[in-house]
Amino acid sequence: TQEETMTQKPVDSTQRKPTRRAGKVVRWIIISVLLLLIVAYLGIGAVAANILTQPKRVFDPALNPGAYGLEYEDVLLSARGDGLQIAAWYIPSELNERVIILVHGRDNSRTSGFASLFVAFSKELHDVGFSVLLIDLRGHGESAEARFTFGIKERQDVLGAVDWLEGRGYQPGSIGVLGYSLGAASVIGAAAEEPDIGAIWIDSAFADIRPVIEGSWQQESGLPQIFLISTDWMIRLLFGYNINTSRPVDEIGSLAPRPIFIAHCQQDHMIPIEHMDQLLAAAENTQTWVIQNCDQNTLPAPLGDEKYNHHAIGYPVQPEEYGQKVIQFFDESLN
């Protein structure tokens, strides 16, 4: 009734304040925790981006061409585009006017490539008449500081090597490139931009870097897979490039009609043989070699270490056949 309604006591506003205050505290706690989680997530991504894009310097000056009785020049050349200083060894030949650029893989150099047999391999090429230029990719060996870009920028080092060789008189079509792993992605990218490169040998190449990174993420970083996303973001933010654009499969088709040789270890666990299949589907004018019995456990230490994952060890396990195939390919393909 109206009388009963009028006799009800009004609600004391002071009773509402503790409830409202408690609600605000809970909301601020939730917001603060979420902000801390976001900061931690991005912070861990930033640390991982900094560590995982930094190449390891592996270089033994004693493993120079002179140790194999070869006359050579120490070279500092400029990468095309950004002028970064790239260290190299040039081994000239007087037998013909053809040259091969050798490009190593990740965390290697011109001394440690092919399980420290890169210079020995270059001697084989020189002995049959090729000049050879061994380069250290940016951030590796004795070259200038730089981050990994999985071939996006490393191609500029190969292009700088082409520029340097043409400055020494080498003609278009007389320059061959050989790269493995990271080096393979770099030479595909370089050849896609430079038609003067006459022939391309790629070993243990990835078609698309993304699945390779995803497959090795936990082993490489020690972090759960979810942190790959924040690391990807921070690489873009801190270093200005997107690793997902490293897709040699999108570029290899433009190399035609120049000859390409694609080699890959059957047992490669780091870059599975399926990547070779993808590259072959996109490429033209190719020769191939699936290297059987590519087992690092048949080699002496330190290749017994599982970190190699049976990856890019075709030359160390089968040097004679590998060398013969490379020599025949470039002999038939270069002007």
Side-chain angles (χ1 to χ4, degrees), residues 26 80 125 136 157 160 177 180 187 205 216-217 221 285 315:
V26 170
R80 186 186 293 183
L125 303 178
D136 285 337
D157 311 341
V177 290
Y180 70 88
V187 302
S216 62
W217 172 253
S221 69
N285 196 17
Y315 181 75

Side-chain angles (χ1 to χ4, degrees), residues 68 116-125 315:
Y68 291 85
S116 300
L117 294 173
F118 227 26
V119 179
F121 174 63
S122 70
K123 184 179 187 305
E124 288 187 49
L125 303 178
Y315 181 75

Side-chain angles (χ1 to χ4, degrees), residues 96 98 100 102 120-130 132 178 199 201 261 287 289 315 319-334:
N96 61 51
R98 299 180 294 180
I100 301 171
L102 299 185
F121 174 63
S122 70
K123 184 179 187 305
E124 288 187 49
L125 303 178
H126 184 267
D127 285 349
V128 297
F130 293 105
V132 181
L178 180 152
W201 177 288
F261 199 112
Q287 300 178 50
W289 180 25
Y315 181 75
E320 184 174 344
E321 186 175 3
Y322 195 106
Q324 289 174 351
K325 285 182 179 292
V326 169
I327 290 167
Q328 181 179 357
F329 171 71
F330 283 117
D331 190 47
E332 293 174 349
S333 303
L334 295 178

Side-chain angles (χ1 to χ4, degrees), residues 228-307:
L228 175 55
I229 300 171
S230 63
T231 302
D232 189 4
W233 291 343
M234 298 312 292
I235 288 174
R236 300 187 201 195
L237 179 64
L238 298 175
F239 308 126
Y241 68 92
N242 178 2
I243 58 175
N244 301 305
T245 62
S246 181
R247 286 177 46 86
V249 69
D250 293 337
E251 298 184 284
I252 196 168
S254 67
L255 274 53
R258 290 167 291 172
I260 305 168
F261 199 112
I262 304 178
H264 211 106
C265 283
Q266 177 71 55
Q267 295 94 334
D268 194 331
H269 296 159
M270 183 179 295
I271 300 177
I273 194 73
E274 289 79 12
H275 285 261
M276 179 183 185
D277 298 333
Q278 294 173 43
L279 291 169
L280 284 173
E284 298 179 30
N285 196 17
T286 58
Q287 300 178 50
T288 62
W289 180 25
V290 177
I291 308 172
Q292 304 293 334
N293 303 317
C294 216
D295 186 352
Q296 66 196 44
N297 296 315
T298 64
L299 297 170
L303 278 192
D305 192 322
E306 282 303 314
K307 70 179 181 179

